[in-house]
């Protein structure tokens, strides 16, 4: 006859363990944690699933975790990931600063040429002619 591992006293502890579970929840992970809780070598999924309270708590918690993950997707952020992000952003800032500097230099050339050819600010800011693309 198999040894009874789950009693009325530790049933509440197991349900509390399930209800406060954080992260991925699987039967294998739960069996491992329950075995630690009960201080036994191992416990089978079928032994836990035979208790309707445990089965119900497991199903509800798994659903809540799933809904929470959809509502609040949390990226797997590691130090390596963050360092790569910083490196990429620094490279992007440097590239954009170089482009901005080239535009500034081009503007200076245009400004000088406009001045040399008698262009006024009003002429430079004159709106473009509207193009009627509907009429053919």
């Amino acid at each position: 006859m198999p040894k009874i591992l789950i009693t009325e006293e530790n049933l509440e502890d197991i349900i509390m363990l399930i209800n406060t579970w954080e992260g991925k929840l699987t039967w294998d992970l739960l069996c491992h944690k329950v075995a630690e809780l009960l201080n036994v070598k191992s416990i089978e999924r079928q032994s836990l699933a035979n208790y309707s309270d445990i089965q119900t708590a497991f199903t509800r918690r798994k659903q809540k975790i799933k809904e929470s993950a959809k509502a609040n997707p949390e990226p797997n952020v590691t130090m390596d990931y963050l360092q790569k992000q910083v490196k990429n952003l620094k490279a992007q800032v440097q590239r954009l600063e170089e482009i901005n500097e080239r535009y500034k230099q081009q503007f200076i050339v245009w400004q000088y040429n406009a001045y040399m050819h008698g262009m006024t600010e009003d002429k430079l800011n004159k709106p473009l002619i509207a193009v009627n693309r509907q009429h053919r």
Side-chain angles (χ1 to χ4, degrees), residues 61-92:
R61 186 64 189 159
K62 187 130 177 138
Q63 185 63 33
K64 282 186 181 181
I65 291 171
K66 191 177 193 180
E67 289 169 1
S68 176
K70 285 181 182 177
N72 303 318
E74 196 171 303
N76 185 9
V77 178
T78 63
M79 186 60 90
D80 185 44
Y81 170 80
L82 293 175
Q83 287 173 337
K84 285 180 183 177
Q85 284 290 92
V86 168
K87 182 180 176 184
N88 289 340
L89 291 172
K90 283 182 177 180
Q92 185 178 11

Side-chain angles (χ1 to χ4, degrees), residues 4-132:
I4 297 177
L5 296 175
I6 300 175
T7 63
E8 286 294 322
E9 293 81 32
N10 61 27
L11 179 61
E12 290 299 318
D13 294 336
I14 294 169
I15 292 173
M16 182 61 76
L17 172 70
I18 295 170
N19 289 337
T20 59
W21 192 278
E22 293 293 325
K24 185 177 180 178
L25 175 60
T26 65
W27 280 108
D28 287 339
L29 292 172
L30 180 62
C31 289
H32 180 73
K33 286 291 185 184
V34 169
E36 287 178 5
L37 179 71
L38 300 179
N39 199 22
V40 295
K41 185 175 180 182
S42 67
I43 191 163
E44 297 293 321
R45 170 190 174 168
Q46 291 80 5
S47 298
L48 296 176
N50 278 339
Y51 293 87
S52 62
D53 291 344
I54 293 175
Q55 178 72 46
T56 303
F58 179 88
T59 305
R60 284 184 183 154
R61 186 64 189 159
K62 187 130 177 138
Q63 185 63 33
K64 282 186 181 181
I65 291 171
K66 191 177 193 180
E67 289 169 1
S68 176
K70 285 181 182 177
N72 303 318
E74 196 171 303
N76 185 9
V77 178
T78 63
M79 186 60 90
D80 185 44
Y81 170 80
L82 293 175
Q83 287 173 337
K84 285 180 183 177
Q85 284 290 92
V86 168
K87 182 180 176 184
N88 289 340
L89 291 172
K90 283 182 177 180
Q92 185 178 11
V93 166
Q94 182 180 357
R95 183 179 63 82
L96 292 172
E97 285 175 345
E98 290 169 359
I99 290 170
N100 194 33
E101 188 60 34
R102 286 195 305 255
Y103 282 140
K104 286 179 183 178
Q105 293 301 318
Q106 182 66 56
F107 179 77
I108 291 170
V109 170
W110 288 340
Q111 186 181 28
Y112 175 77
N113 288 333
Y115 171 75
M116 291 304 289
H117 291 88
M119 296 289 293
T120 63
E121 189 174 345
D122 290 335
K123 286 182 183 177
L124 290 172
N125 288 327
K126 183 179 176 186
L128 297 175
I129 299 171
V131 178
N132 186 355

